């Protein structure tokens, strides 16, 4: 009897030893954790850092059966099929949670990484690609399973972590299961980001090389650009296969980093298609799919009309019958709350649909929707409407002529409800000696030295390549000088695809540019004249001395066009702008649709500025 009691006492002590993992998290500051990580030499050092005994660590790594240390289940994918989730049991999960804390202290998150990073999400990932001309989406094939034990061990041995082989092996054993990174373990997200650090750096350089923006959220990779054509060095449309194909340079970088591309998820979307980034629509503003809105509306309607049980039963029809984790009543309520909150996160907390759903949830489950939150949102909406709280900006251009065109185009687009209204103050009182691209460039350099609440936006003609390099960033459509100063070159309008050097008059159609005033004067286009003789191709009595232009250049000629009597019949650009601004007869029916792209860039800048 005594031996049996002694055995039971030892057995209970043994169980306590295994189950007592101390605290579930480490209480050391980040700098201390980093310092201790850099000093790791042995398995015992790892155990001390994780605040567990060496025996506990050895037991969970070598003695306890691995197949009993994890639970595996499936969840449905939105694209069809199932995703395999493998989660560790409590004791191992605590060890992994602690290791995750340690790794967070030594891993520096790349700016392009938005998955599994503090204060980043699928929303921050999508927001960067808002209002771009092109978006390329691709996905790594078998992302977590492709990260095996050897890669994780090699990660810790290599720079910048420089672990000993013993420590690297222990850390990899803690993190891996069945020779791969289990999707569902606390350490897997940060390990995947650490593995992808080199990939992120190389893809970021590639994006910069071709004037694109690059981000990654877990296995979702996105490139976007405001360039007129998507860089064919990254992806292009194959006439042979009638599909979009990734270019060799991009594929090589991905393969060299141990990943492959899921070709079924490859998408290149232009601005006239629905553009999505991590499931969020990014064409004009951040938005969720209509299907998502309809689903939430239907759930709330069914809940109100047929009761909670029937609404739950209808919703869970498509789920695995054996998956009881998702079928508790509290889970359903929290799921509905989460869906509504997600709409607010994406569309904004003053969105009317979000507020409407929040009020409906309040009626159904009062404790899930706080009155103070609803009242705050309602008062915020009223405040915005009553104060006419509009985004404001100061617009500078190379000269007064540009401002006249922009003002008229802006009013026309607003009346047609093509663009949203915001408050623009045009700087139109510059002296002649302060006008021009060089002077405007100096303005940007000077004004960015001090912080501005109201942004200054400088708009340049696209006719001086050396200036464009300094004031424009094709990847996002504008340059951020810091402190509220921005600049961009006029985007190339759709009907001028073959013209590289653009000024504001190019936004009009040729027939509009050639309108004649009462004095029989007009603007001319360089393609109307012979390049060598300067003689007009259809009216030989007209000649120009301004015939020094490139073959692919469409120059606006507003002087030095003479008739047979040596009279100058060219209309000055300023007069052309004034006629349009004053709606003179013959100049009062122009189409300003092409100017939409200019104001879309301004709106994009304002959203960026005021969100910061």
């Amino acid at each position: 009897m005594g031996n049996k009691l002694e055995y039971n006492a030892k057995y209970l002590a043994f169980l306590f030893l295994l189950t007592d993992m101390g605290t579930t998290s480490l209480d050391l500051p980040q700098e201390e954790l980093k310092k201790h990580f850099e000093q790791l030499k042995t398995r015992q050092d790892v155990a001390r850092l994780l605040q567990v005994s060496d025996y506990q660590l050895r037991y969970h790594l070598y003695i306890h059966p691995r197949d009993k240390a994890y639970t595996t289940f499936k969840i449905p994918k939105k694209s069809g099929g199932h995703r395999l989730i493998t989660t560790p049991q409590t004791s191992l999960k605590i060890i992994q949670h602690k290791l995750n804390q340690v790794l967070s202290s030594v891993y520096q998150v790349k700016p392009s990484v938005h998955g599994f990073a503090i204060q980043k999400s699928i929303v921050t990932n999508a927001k960067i690609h808002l209002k771009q001309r092109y978006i390329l989406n691709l996905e790594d094939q078998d992302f977590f399973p492709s990260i095996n034990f050897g890669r994780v061990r090699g990660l810790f041995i290599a720079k910048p972590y420089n672990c000993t082989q013993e420590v690297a092996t222990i850390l990899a054993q803690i993190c891996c299961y069945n020779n791969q990174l289990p999707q569902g373990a606390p350490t897997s997200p940060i390990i995947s980001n650490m593995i992808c650090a080199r990939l992120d750096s190389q893809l970021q350089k590639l994006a910069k090389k071709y004037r694109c923006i690059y981000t990654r959220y877990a296995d979702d990779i996105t490139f976007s650009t405001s360039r007129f054509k998507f860089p064919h060095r990254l992806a292009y449309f194959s006439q042979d296969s009638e599909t979009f194909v990734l270019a060799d340079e991009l594929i090589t970088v991905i393969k060299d980093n141990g990943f492959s591309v899921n070709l079924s998820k490859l998408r290149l979307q232009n601005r006239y298609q629905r553009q999505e980034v991590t499931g969020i629509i990014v064409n004009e503003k951040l938005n969720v799919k209509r299907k998502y809105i309809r689903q939430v509306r239907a759930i709330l309607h069914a809940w109100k009309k047929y009761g909670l049980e029937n609404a739950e039963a209808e919703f869970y029809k498509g789920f695995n019958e054996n998956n009881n984790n998702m079928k508790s009543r509290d889970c359903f309520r929290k799921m509905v709350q989460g869906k509504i909150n997600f709409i607010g996160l994406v569309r904004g907390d003053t969105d009317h649909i979000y507020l409407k759903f929040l009020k409906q949830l309040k009626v159904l489950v009062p404790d899930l929707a706080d009155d103070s939150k609803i009242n705050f949102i309602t008062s915020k909406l009223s405040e915005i409407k009553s104060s006419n709280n509009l985004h404001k900006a100061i617009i500078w251009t190379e000269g007064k002529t540009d401002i006249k065109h922009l003002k008229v185009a802006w009013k026309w687009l607003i009346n047609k409800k093509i663009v949203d209204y915001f408050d623009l103050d045009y700087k139109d009182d510059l002296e002649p000696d302060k006008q021009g691209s060089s002077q405007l460039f100096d303005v940007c350099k000077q004004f960015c030295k001090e912080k501005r609440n109201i942004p200054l936006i400088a708009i340049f003609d696209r006719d001086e390549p050396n200036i464009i390099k300094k004031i424009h960033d094709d990847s996002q459509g504008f340059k951020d000088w810091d402190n509220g100063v921005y600049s961009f070159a006029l985007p190339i309008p759709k009907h001028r695809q073959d013209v590289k050097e653009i000024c504001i008059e190019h936004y009009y159609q040729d027939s509009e540019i050639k309108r004649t005033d009462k004095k029989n004067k007009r603007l001319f286009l360089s393609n109307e004249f012979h390049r060598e003789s300067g003689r007009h191709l259809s009216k030989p009595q007209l000649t120009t001395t301004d015939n020094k232009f490139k073959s692919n250049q469409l120059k606006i000629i507003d002087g030095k066009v003479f008739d047979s009597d040596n009279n100058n019949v060219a209309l000055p650009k300023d007069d052309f702008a004034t006629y349009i601004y004053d709606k003179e007869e013959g100049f009062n029916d122009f189409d300003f649709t092409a100017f939409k792209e200019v104001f879309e860039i301004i709106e994009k800048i304002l959203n960026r500025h005021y969100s910061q």
Side-chain angles (χ1 to χ4, degrees):
M1 184 72 176
N3 290 336
K4 188 174 181 181
L5 287 173
E6 184 180 355
Y7 171 80
N8 286 340
K10 288 182 178 180
Y11 180 69
L12 288 172
F14 168 74
L15 288 179
F16 178 76
L17 179 67
L18 295 183
T19 56
D20 180 24
M21 306 299 293
T23 57
T24 56
S25 61
L26 302 175
D27 54 3
L28 293 174
Q30 292 271 306
E31 286 301 318
E32 282 291 311
L33 290 175
K34 183 179 180 181
K35 180 181 177 182
H36 287 309
F37 178 86
E38 292 170 349
Q39 295 172 346
L40 294 176
K41 301 295 182 185
T42 64
R43 184 188 65 239
Q44 290 80 3
D45 293 338
V46 175
R48 276 192 293 273
L49 177 57
L50 299 180
Q51 296 178 0
V52 297
S53 70
D54 180 47
Y55 184 80
Q56 285 173 320
L57 186 59
R58 283 188 288 118
Y59 177 81
H60 289 292
L61 294 184
Y62 308 125
I63 301 173
H64 188 59
R66 296 298 277 177
D67 58 340
K68 293 183 179 180
Y70 285 87
T71 300
T72 300
F73 59 91
K74 296 177 181 179
I75 60 172
K77 290 183 180 180
K78 65 177 182 178
S79 58
H82 292 84
R83 189 184 305 277
L84 196 65
I85 303 298
T86 305
T87 60
Q89 296 294 338
T90 304
S91 297
L92 181 58
K93 183 183 287 187
I94 291 173
I95 293 175
Q96 290 180 348
H97 267 301
K98 291 179 178 180
L99 179 56
N100 183 57
Q101 275 187 268
V102 175
L103 298 180
S104 297
S105 71
V106 296
Y107 167 65
Q108 297 295 318
V109 180
K110 303 281 184 181
S112 56
V113 175
H114 290 259
F116 321 125
I118 297 173
Q119 295 185 331
K120 290 188 176 183
S121 64
I122 62 172
V123 177
T124 62
N125 185 56
K127 193 172 185 178
I128 289 179
H129 302 283
L130 189 64
K131 290 190 174 182
Q132 291 288 71
R133 194 184 293 273
Y134 293 100
I135 290 178
L136 173 68
N137 303 109
L138 53 138
E139 184 180 297
D140 287 326
Q141 182 94 31
D142 300 325
F143 182 61
F144 283 102
S146 68
I147 303 174
N148 58 32
F149 177 87
R151 293 182 70 181
V152 177
R153 182 176 180 272
L155 165 76
F156 288 117
I157 291 175
K159 292 181 180 180
Y161 307 110
N162 301 313
C163 293
T164 64
Q165 293 195 17
E166 180 180 346
V167 168
T169 301
I170 294 296
L171 296 179
Q173 287 172 335
I174 293 173
C175 298
C176 294
Y177 172 63
N178 282 347
N179 194 35
Q180 66 184 40
L181 212 55
Q183 189 167 356
T187 45
S188 293
I190 193 166
I191 291 290
S192 68
N193 279 344
M194 293 167 75
I195 287 283
C196 289
R198 191 178 74 145
L199 173 71
D200 293 324
S201 296
Q202 292 178 354
L203 291 182
Q204 181 62 56
K205 289 178 182 177
L206 196 64
K208 186 176 181 181
K209 179 180 178 181
Y210 296 115
R211 291 176 287 173
C212 292
I213 294 173
Y214 160 73
T215 64
R216 182 180 61 81
Y217 186 95
D219 56 352
D220 285 321
I221 291 173
T222 306
F223 290 88
S224 69
T225 186
S226 64
R227 294 179 64 179
F228 197 80
K229 293 182 179 179
F230 192 83
H232 68 278
R233 299 279 186 173
L234 295 179
Y236 58 91
F237 184 79
S238 170
Q239 298 290 346
D240 296 333
S241 61
E242 295 186 348
T243 57
F244 286 107
V245 178
L246 291 183
D248 291 341
E249 191 172 2
L250 177 53
I251 290 177
T252 300
V253 171
I254 294 172
K255 284 187 175 180
D256 285 350
N257 282 277
F259 296 101
S260 58
V261 178
N262 184 346
L263 297 178
S264 66
K265 299 291 184 71
L266 179 63
R267 300 191 309 275
L268 180 60
Q269 311 151 83
N270 64 46
R271 66 192 309 174
Y272 303 107
Q273 300 169 303
R274 187 173 74 181
Q275 296 176 322
E276 289 182 38
V277 176
T278 45
I280 296 174
I281 299 169
V282 294
N283 291 71
E284 296 294 329
K285 61 180 181 179
L286 295 184
N287 206 349
V288 297
K289 296 177 184 177
R290 292 179 183 176
K291 182 179 178 181
Y292 188 92
I293 298 288
R294 287 197 295 266
Q295 184 194 45
V296 176
R297 186 182 290 117
I299 291 172
L300 292 171
H301 173 75
W303 190 346
K304 180 181 178 182
K305 188 171 183 178
Y306 303 109
L308 178 59
E309 282 191 21
N310 291 324
E312 280 182 301
E314 183 64 26
F315 177 77
Y316 286 128
K317 272 184 180 179
F319 289 89
N320 188 333
E321 290 295 325
N322 298 322
N323 192 355
N324 295 318
N325 294 328
M326 302 183 66
K327 294 191 177 182
S328 70
R329 186 153 298 175
D330 188 56
C331 178
F332 178 78
R333 292 174 177 176
K334 292 294 178 64
M335 179 276 299
V336 177
Q337 182 190 34
K339 282 181 173 291
I340 293 171
N341 288 340
F342 181 68
I343 293 172
L345 186 66
V346 174
R347 292 173 62 100
D349 60 3
T350 57
D351 178 69
H352 67 284
I353 293 177
Y354 168 59
L355 181 60
K356 179 182 176 181
F357 287 165
L358 205 59
K359 287 179 176 179
Q360 290 178 14
L361 184 65
K362 174 68 178 175
V363 173
L364 294 167
V365 191
D367 60 317
L368 286 186
D370 188 7
D371 276 330
S372 61
K373 185 175 183 179
I374 294 175
N375 293 335
F376 173 75
I377 296 171
T378 304
S379 63
K380 195 173 178 181
L381 279 168
S382 300
E383 183 182 328
I384 290 172
K385 290 177 181 178
S386 61
S387 66
N388 195 27
N389 188 13
L390 299 168
H391 287 173
K392 298 180 180 180
I394 299 171
I395 305 296
W396 284 45
T397 62
E398 292 186 22
K400 296 180 181 179
T401 299
D402 298 326
I403 290 176
K404 290 179 182 178
H405 292 294
L406 290 173
K407 282 184 174 180
V408 179
W410 176 234
K411 188 174 181 180
W412 187 89
L413 292 168
I414 289 293
N415 290 336
K416 296 281 185 181
K417 297 182 178 180
I418 295 175
V419 296
D420 294 328
Y421 183 81
F422 31 84
D423 192 358
L424 300 180
D425 181 16
Y426 295 92
K427 186 70 174 176
D428 56 3
D429 57 352
L430 293 176
E431 297 298 325
D433 62 335
K434 294 183 180 180
Q435 298 178 23
S437 58
S438 298
Q439 288 75 7
L440 189 57
F441 177 67
D442 289 339
V443 165
C444 294
K445 288 198 297 183
Q446 185 63 34
F447 277 73
C448 71
K449 294 177 181 178
E450 295 183 8
K451 189 173 181 62
R452 306 178 60 84
N453 292 326
I454 299 176
L456 186 156
I457 303 174
I459 304 176
F460 290 77
D461 289 342
R462 189 181 285 268
D463 56 1
E464 296 180 73
N466 291 333
I467 287 288
I468 293 173
K469 292 177 183 178
K470 300 175 183 177
I471 58 88
H472 188 83
D473 179 359
D474 263 334
S475 64
Q476 57 186 353
F478 62 89
K479 177 179 178 178
D480 184 350
W481 292 73
D482 290 332
N483 287 329
V485 176
Y486 306 86
S487 65
F488 66 92
L490 288 171
I492 300 173
K494 285 175 65 177
H495 64 287
R496 302 290 186 196
Q497 295 184 28
D498 299 326
V499 182
K500 291 186 177 181
E501 297 183 6
I502 294 291
C503 63
I504 204 159
E505 288 81 11
H506 285 104
Y507 279 76
Y508 301 107
Q509 300 294 328
D510 288 358
S511 59
E512 294 170 333
I513 291 173
K514 296 177 183 178
R515 294 281 179 93
T516 305
D517 72 353
K518 295 176 181 178
K519 298 177 182 178
N520 209 30
K521 289 187 174 185
R522 70 172 177 88
L523 292 179
F524 290 86
L525 296 169
S526 59
N527 63 5
E528 296 182 68
F529 297 91
H530 191 279
R531 287 181 59 201
E532 294 181 5
S533 66
R535 191 170 296 278
H536 198 280
L537 298 176
S538 62
K539 296 179 180 179
Q541 72 274 20
L542 300 179
T543 57
T544 181
T545 56
D546 191 6
N547 61 331
K548 294 180 180 179
F549 44 82
K550 304 171 187 175
S551 58
N552 63 343
Q553 184 181 20
L554 186 65
K555 190 175 181 180
I556 305 291
I557 300 177
D558 67 337
K560 300 179 181 178
V561 178
F562 303 96
D563 61 15
S564 54
D565 296 325
N566 207 31
N567 295 314
N568 191 348
V569 295
L571 181 69
K573 285 185 178 181
D574 188 52
D575 289 353
F576 178 72
T578 301
Y579 290 153
I580 296 172
Y581 187 81
D582 293 339
K583 297 183 179 179
E584 291 282 345
E585 185 178 351
F587 295 83
N588 56 0
D589 60 348
F590 282 23
D591 188 321
F592 298 92
T593 304
F595 285 82
K596 178 187 175 185
E597 291 192 56
V598 178
F599 294 105
E600 284 179 338
I601 295 176
I602 293 174
E603 184 179 8
K604 188 175 179 180
I605 291 172
L606 293 179
N607 290 335
R608 163 85 163 269
H609 178 81
Y610 286 102
S611 68
Q612 293 174 343

